[in-house]
Amino acid sequence: HVQLVESGGGSVQAGGSLRLSCAARGYTYDTYCMGWFRRPPGKEREGIAVIDSDGDTAYAESLKDRFTISVDNAKNSLYLQINSLKPEDTAMYYCAAGGSWVTLDSKEYKSWGRGTQVTVS
């Protein structure tokens, strides 16, 4: 059973930065892809960035300049660094795992965390 627990969200002012973390339990990172997704209020869930065991990444084109995904295999943790936050970044941010290839299609991911809220004002 895979458990993903996100943390690091909060309320920040525009222009600030946040680092989101996702602790993975019962998960073998070197087999599958992991990634970050978000759901802004009243909108569909969207992919932000994903990474595979080789370090290959994929980013949403509109976000790649401000968002950076990384992984710490020793800690079995996934991270998302967000810089220059904007009000439109306000959303629930989710960690996902179990993707079989590097894709931002959320349907390809088998396990999901409960999310961490980011609010930018």
Side-chain angles (χ1 to χ4, degrees), residues 1-13:
H1 176 68
V2 177
Q3 183 180 23
L4 304 174
V5 181
E6 302 94 335
S7 61
S11 296
V12 296
Q13 292 193 345

Side-chain angles (χ1 to χ4, degrees), residues 34-39 45-50 92-96 103-106 109 112:
M34 295 184 74
W36 288 97
F37 297 77
R38 69 182 185 182
R39 187 190 296 275
R45 182 169 55 191
E46 61 180 356
I48 301 171
V50 297
M92 184 69 80
Y93 284 71
Y94 298 92
C95 171
T103 175
L104 292 172
D105 184 351
S106 62
Y109 292 83
W112 293 83

Side-chain angles (χ1 to χ4, degrees), residues 11 25 52 78:
S11 296
R25 300 185 179 92
D52 70 7
L78 184 73

